[in-house]
Amino acid sequence: MHQLQLVEDVRRFPQTRYLGSKLKLLPWIWDHISDLRFTSALDAFGGTGSVSFLLKSNFKQVTFNDILKSNFIMGKALIENSGQTLWPRDCSKLTTRQPERTYDDFIQRTFRDIYFTTHEDEWIDVTVQNIRSIENDYQRGLAFYALFQSCIVKRPYNLFHRANLYMRTSNVERNFGNKTTWDKPFPQHFEQFLSEASGAVFDSGISCRAENRDVFDLDTDYDLVYIDPPYMNANGLGPDYFDFYHFLEGLADYDHWENRLDQRKKHLPLKADTKSVWLDKKRVRQAFDDLFAKYRKSILVVSYRNDGVPTPEELQTLLKRHKREIRSFSNKPYKYVLSSNSTSHEALLVAI
């Protein structure tokens, strides 16, 4: 595909402030994989779905996968969906109380002064319950996408890892954040994101699907597997997406949210059964090796950082156990969304 056409197609994907999004890197990624011969592809750690969108735009049979239910809902709406849309003009009732319905006030009762104002908590309670009544899976997913993104942009750092509403509401001079975005009412954000999401829906003519499973539980019949797990730095620290976006996970499982809360912590995250292997410095290398072994018959494309653990060199060594040819690419220093590290390079490994 011509680079200018690729850039134009990528622009159709909704903007996001989601941590680690590859949206700005899509042309660079495609430049290094476009010569590969493949028809089907697995986006194993799908996240926002931007890489899946890139592959779908290039007429690949894409399987989007993510362990988070909120991401799965977005992947189903933007990748698996080939024609269903939902526009603000068609759903004005979604964001207002309907007289025939009885509403729970769970968010208002539970998260008071933690993430949003009391009025905003009420709006979210009403909106999420209205969204859940949408019968069509894809239209419901588009509405959830708009709600998730609206919640993200109204948060300091765009995360839910701290009880820090005061950063938005304190009457102080600010040298960070986006006060204009914070002050913009929820319904306006919701309409904007809903329009962007519906505008990104298209039919490539090839069936795609979304999964919500552990990557080790998926099938192996893919020509290419794109692997973009959480990055761990040299200190053994990495982004805990389950903790960072637990509020979105709660919205996605509204009926059971209360029973899943970790009441020991002030910011009320969800209980985590086990620590992710991708955030465990002692187990992460073996996890990579196991993953490469599982998909050894596929072309493997690995996104990582030059300062990550394992290092790109260590990943190449692991890949050589299972693949014959390894290509390595490094992007110029790239500042990731929400990152203060301006010296990191994006590393891309292609194993054939």
Side-chain angles (χ1 to χ4, degrees):
M1 178 178 289
H2 193 280
Q3 186 76 355
L4 290 178
Q5 182 60 46
L6 173 63
V7 171
E8 188 61 33
D9 286 343
V10 167
R11 284 176 180 164
R12 294 165 50 201
F13 191 81
Q15 294 294 313
T16 180
R17 289 291 294 167
Y18 199 87
L19 184 69
S21 173
K22 291 294 187 295
L23 186 56
K24 293 181 179 179
L25 290 171
L26 295 186
W28 178 76
I29 292 173
W30 182 247
D31 188 49
H32 294 300
I33 67 172
S34 59
D35 65 327
L36 302 175
R37 298 182 62 181
F38 67 103
T39 300
S40 62
L42 167 66
D43 186 359
F45 301 82
T48 64
S50 62
V51 171
S52 288
F53 190 85
L54 168 72
L55 296 171
K56 181 179 177 180
S57 297
N58 286 279
F59 309 104
K60 307 302 180 182
Q61 186 180 53
V62 182
T63 297
F64 167 98
N65 179 67
D66 200 279
I67 195 68
L68 296 186
K69 187 174 182 179
S70 54
N71 283 345
F72 163 69
I73 290 172
M74 293 190 288
K76 194 173 182 69
L78 295 175
I79 307 303
E80 184 176 303
N81 180 14
S82 62
Q84 294 291 326
T85 57
L86 187 66
W87 301 95
R89 64 177 179 269
D90 301 324
C91 59
S92 58
K93 293 182 178 180
L94 277 183
T95 60
T96 56
R97 287 183 179 272
Q98 301 306 302
E100 70 277 9
R101 295 198 60 178
T102 300
Y103 291 89
D104 193 350
D105 61 349
F106 170 73
I107 296 172
Q108 300 168 69
R109 290 185 283 108
T110 308
F111 294 97
R112 183 180 179 86
D113 297 327
I114 294 181
Y115 297 121
F116 303 105
T117 67
T118 300
H119 175 70
E120 291 170 342
D121 285 340
E122 179 186 5
W123 183 90
I124 298 171
D125 266 324
V126 168
T127 301
V128 68
Q129 290 172 83
N130 285 339
I131 289 173
R132 284 160 46 81
S133 69
I134 299 174
E135 293 184 2
N136 183 278
D137 284 350
Y138 298 128
Q139 292 181 331
R140 185 170 61 251
L142 290 168
F144 263 122
Y145 177 90
L147 178 59
F148 294 157
Q149 296 300 323
S150 298
C151 290
I152 288 174
V153 299
K154 293 276 280 185
R155 289 286 305 136
Y157 307 111
N158 307 111
L159 301 174
F160 299 87
H161 63 316
R162 296 173 187 164
N164 56 2
L165 175 62
Y166 68 90
M167 294 182 69
R168 267 186 55 197
T169 58
S170 298
N171 186 19
V172 297
E173 183 177 350
R174 304 180 187 280
N175 58 5
F176 63 90
N178 188 336
K179 190 174 187 303
T180 301
T181 300
W182 292 347
D183 291 345
K184 185 175 179 179
F186 255 108
Q188 292 183 30
H189 280 302
F190 183 84
E191 289 188 6
Q192 174 190 337
F193 286 119
L194 186 58
S195 293
E196 290 182 5
S198 287
V201 173
F202 74 100
D203 185 359
S204 68
I206 299 173
S207 176
C208 297
R209 73 178 191 269
E211 297 280 0
N212 177 213
R213 301 163 67 185
D214 185 282
V215 65
F216 289 104
D217 294 332
L218 294 167
D219 296 333
T220 58
D221 53 342
Y222 306 100
D223 298 333
L224 180 145
V225 177
Y226 176 73
I227 300 169
D228 182 25
Y231 296 131
M232 188 185 304
N233 65 25
N235 296 320
L237 301 175
D240 186 344
Y241 288 91
F242 186 73
D243 181 60
F244 285 176
Y245 297 107
H246 67 88
F247 193 85
L248 307 186
E249 289 294 279
L251 290 173
D253 192 24
Y254 191 82
D255 283 347
H256 305 104
W257 197 346
E258 186 167 12
N259 295 329
R260 299 178 63 191
L261 291 175
D262 187 343
Q263 300 282 359
R264 299 170 302 171
K265 299 179 180 178
K266 186 176 180 181
H267 67 299
L268 297 178
L270 300 177
K271 299 172 186 174
D273 295 331
T274 58
K275 183 178 181 180
S276 169
V277 66
W278 305 103
L279 299 175
D280 188 331
K281 196 173 182 178
K282 295 181 180 179
R283 297 188 296 156
V284 67
R285 290 174 178 82
Q286 186 60 53
F288 270 110
D289 194 37
D290 292 343
L291 193 61
F292 297 160
K294 177 180 175 69
Y295 295 107
R296 63 187 179 279
K297 295 182 180 180
S298 306
I299 299 170
L300 300 178
V301 179
V302 185
S303 278
Y304 216 61
R305 279 163 67 162
N306 68 308
D307 56 353
V309 173
T311 66
E313 291 75 21
E314 288 177 302
L315 289 176
Q316 288 187 61
T317 299
L318 293 175
L319 283 168
K320 287 176 181 177
R321 297 181 182 179
H322 312 285
K323 308 297 290 184
R324 294 190 304 272
E325 178 184 349
I326 314 296
R327 303 174 185 175
S328 176
F329 308 97
S330 181
N331 198 16
K332 61 184 179 181
Y334 172 77
K335 190 175 185 300
Y336 294 84
V337 173
L338 307 178
S339 173
S340 60
N341 187 347
S342 60
T343 62
S344 285
H345 293 219
E346 179 75 8
L348 190 72
L349 304 176
V350 179
I352 304 170

